[in-house]
Amino acid sequence: MTSDVDAGGGDRLALAVLVQYRMATTEQMHLVIAPGVRIEQTRRRLAKLRSEGLVDRITLPQAGRTRVWFPTQYGVQVACEWPELRERRPPKGASDRTAVRLRAGHQLTVTETALAFLQDARRRGELCRPLDWIPEVYHPIGGGEAVIPDALLYYRSGSQNDDSWSMLRAFVEVDRATMGPERLAAKIGGYARLHDYTPAPPPGRRRPAFHQESQEEWRRRYPLFPRVLFVLDGTGPTGIATRIRALHAAARDLPPSGFRHTVPVLAAPLVDLLRDGPAAPVWRPVHDPDQSVSWNSPRHP
């Protein structure tokens, strides 16, 4: 099978987004890849990619029979050869219709969260491209365990026309109230362990001498440990408050560490992000949830 995906053009971006985001509705795809044109153009583009065997779709019986698009195995194979998607191969089942249907509720909410940041950046003249939202990046913490956030976000804050910008990174956890507050809050401990995790040397190699510092694993990827953002959905104000209290308790019980004192951990309802934008002061620092801040506020030690 061959494909006439236009290199560097809209077809390539559409396929890359679906491979990286796992799935999206027609409207979500339109707003991510081509908000400046009519949605009919996005529909035609998706139909073309489907005819080439690169993407497929399911129709959800609820919510007005919403169409949900996802990459086929062939689409994944094609896109993962591109430099922008190296090491971005989606998990097994990403192209299985049943798996897509069962994961749609959570994954479409993750895509909606991505849209909140993308659209806010466009409104503010800041820089956040569609592929700057990377779902499910694996971060080992030893013992066969790992931290896998729902997404890793790259975001350039500030004016693009001068030097007053800064590059921000965030781990994003999207919670739809499908797990109890304590299980959600336990994720904070995982991020604290990731912050402190230093891999053991390979077999046969000695640890560095005492005057040589071992390097935490995350420093291989990030100059600063990313912020941790909890986006809360699927429950009303009382449920949101309960979950923020649980996050606060988990953060309070952490042992003193660099993570506790230097990494912003924030929580906000998705409805507030969609209404006001993530840059608005809609976030609650979990160590002091009586405050309201923007997610991109300067970090304080």
Side-chain angles (χ1 to χ4, degrees), residues 45-86:
R45 188 179 303 283
L46 290 168
K48 175 189 175 190
L49 294 175
R50 187 180 185 221
S51 71
E52 296 172 324
L54 294 163
V55 307
D56 203 353
R57 72 186 185 209
I58 61 170
T59 301
L60 300 180
Q62 67 274 26
R65 298 185 61 77
T66 300
R67 286 179 173 176
V68 178
W69 297 87
F70 59 95
T72 63
Q73 288 186 343
Y74 174 57
V76 170
Q77 176 186 343
V78 169
C80 286
E81 295 297 322
W82 300 337
E84 62 267 36
L85 290 185
R86 294 276 164 79

Side-chain angles (χ1 to χ4, degrees), residues 198-202 205-215:
T198 302
R205 184 178 299 178
R206 293 184 301 174
R207 283 190 176 275
F210 70 90
H211 60 277
Q212 295 177 305
E213 289 190 11
S214 299
Q215 186 179 65

Side-chain angles (χ1 to χ4, degrees), residues 44 167 281:
R44 287 196 295 270
M167 178 57 72

